Amino acid sequence: MNQNTVMIETELGDWRRTHYSDRLSPQMADSDVTVMGWVLSVRGHGNISFMMLKDKEGEIQVLAKAGSCPDEVREKISRLKAHSSVGIKGTVKPSEKAPRGIEIIPKEIRVFSEVEKIPPFEPYAKTVKNIDTRLEVRPIDLKRKSLQHIFKARSKILQAIRNYFYENGFLEINTPKMIATATEGGAALFPIFYYNKEAFLAQSPQLYKEQLTMSFEKVFEIAPIFRAEPSRTNRHLAEAISIDVEEAYVDYNDIMKRIEDLIKISIKTVNDYFKENTDSEFITVNMPDKIPQYTYSELVDKMQKVGAKTEWGDDLYPSNLKKIGLSGFYFIKDWPIGPKPFYVKMSKSDPKISESFDLMFGDLELSSGSTRVEKRAELEERMKNKGLKIDAFEYHLRAFDYGMPPHAGCGIGLERLIMSLTGTENIRDATFYPRDVDRLTP
């Protein structure tokens, strides 16, 4: 190639990547490759420029040296700023000090987008304190190694959870996210215009997944839920991902066993990921032989014994859970029936309690589940007691006229599960684009 006639292209054209960074090795010495990614850094030393290129699998060192590559290519590389998107055609050479023991001697470069603006924070810094600053340019923030590991682990966990459901005969479903009535009553709803009617964003797929047990017996859904709760904490979102399960001919004890299986699978998955990615700096999560179960009444007694101000029927607040020293994963079961939604089944042994549970990690609630009411008359009675309009739920109730099976289920908050498995302190770093009481963009 004539070094004085090289054109610096800016379009992809017929260029296609031949290798990701993790596929390059010293055994490929003298091979010609095409790599693409973002500029991490450029360092110049006289007639030599070093460029670090990052793709989704890692880093690649590019060595542009006078006499070894075209002058125009070397000069262009020397002027590039971090985050510019580029493609390089070049030759692989061994280099002990470079990532994966190789570097690329460039022959051609295409600059797909050249960056002039400096980000408001250093994206490759280990920590950036102001989360709002980060969220304003979230795609740049998500380049940070710590977040890359969180979301790659998240993807592996979702894959493992889906595999579990498929292997155990569950059908993946998708239920409406625009609904006519509140699933559970209450005011924590986002109203929307639906043609000429008022509708709401779904708080959960609860009623639909119950109905679908009549058709398919075992169903699951991984999808958004919407809660208009004005909470400004590091564990609440207005839009979250829920892993929902519903199964026919079982009760809440069977669903707790399902959750125990899912937690063990998730722990193994995330621990395997951390072992393969030693730079992740996450702590290995302990695998429980069995997730402990405590009744609501047991924990109220424990709280009272340590002087916590709580009475039977009160919610179990995080501050009180901390006082009795509960940690790791555990279930709280047999909650009072009073505050529970209308579809939660009453205990046969005690009308004051319900066949329900919460899965906890320390003081963080990850999941709620229960045995469901399967008889229409009982559902209607529960609705009346809660002041709900029975007519508004006729679309749901009519299914119970045609042989609704006994069934149970739960919903697991994916973001909170990721927090517990990766040690993430702020739930906004467990979702790509957080939605909360203060944030509707980006």
Side-chain angles (χ1 to χ4, degrees), residues 12-62:
L12 180 64
D14 60 356
W15 278 37
R16 295 295 182 269
R17 173 193 277 121
T18 61
H19 296 78
Y20 283 100
S21 57
D22 63 339
R23 298 298 181 184
L24 299 172
S25 68
Q27 287 70 39
M28 296 176 62
D30 298 324
S31 299
D32 287 337
V33 298
T34 302
V35 296
M36 297 180 182
W38 291 268
V39 176
L40 269 178
S41 63
V42 176
R43 294 179 290 116
H45 300 281
N47 288 328
I48 300 177
S49 289
F50 292 90
M51 180 174 73
M52 293 301 296
L53 193 67
K54 179 178 174 59
D55 63 19
K56 76 183 187 72
E57 301 298 342
E59 300 173 8
I60 306 165
Q61 180 168 292
V62 178

Side-chain angles (χ1 to χ4, degrees), residues 29 50 62 68 110 179 186 237 305 318 320 336 399 417:
F50 292 90
V62 178
S68 298
R110 290 196 175 183
I179 58 174
L237 291 170
K305 285 176 182 175
N320 286 337
L417 176 62

Side-chain angles (χ1 to χ4, degrees), residues 256 259-260 262-263 291-292 328-333 335 357-369 411-413 416-417 420:
M256 282 189 277
I259 289 180
E260 188 170 76
L262 291 173
I263 292 301
I291 296 179
F329 294 99
Y330 61 95
F331 289 107
I332 306 174
K333 64 180 184 177
W335 287 78
F357 65 84
D358 285 358
L359 173 69
M360 307 294 295
F361 182 79
D363 65 346
L364 182 66
E365 179 190 333
L366 305 184
S367 173
S368 288
I412 304 170
R416 290 187 175 189
L417 176 62
S420 67

Side-chain angles (χ1 to χ4, degrees), residues 218-266:
K218 300 162 77 169
V219 297
F220 79 97
E221 180 173 20
I222 302 175
I225 58 171
F226 304 90
R227 300 287 172 95
E229 298 169 347
S231 300
R232 289 180 171 87
T233 75
N234 65 359
R235 52 178 64 182
H236 286 89
L237 291 170
E239 179 182 355
I241 300 296
S242 182
I243 304 166
D244 272 275
V245 188
E246 206 73 19
E247 186 171 356
Y249 305 108
V250 301
D251 67 12
Y252 73 138
N253 293 300
D254 301 288
I255 297 299
M256 282 189 277
K257 180 65 174 67
R258 291 278 185 213
I259 289 180
E260 188 170 76
D261 290 345
L262 291 173
I263 292 301
K264 288 181 177 180
I265 287 166
S266 298

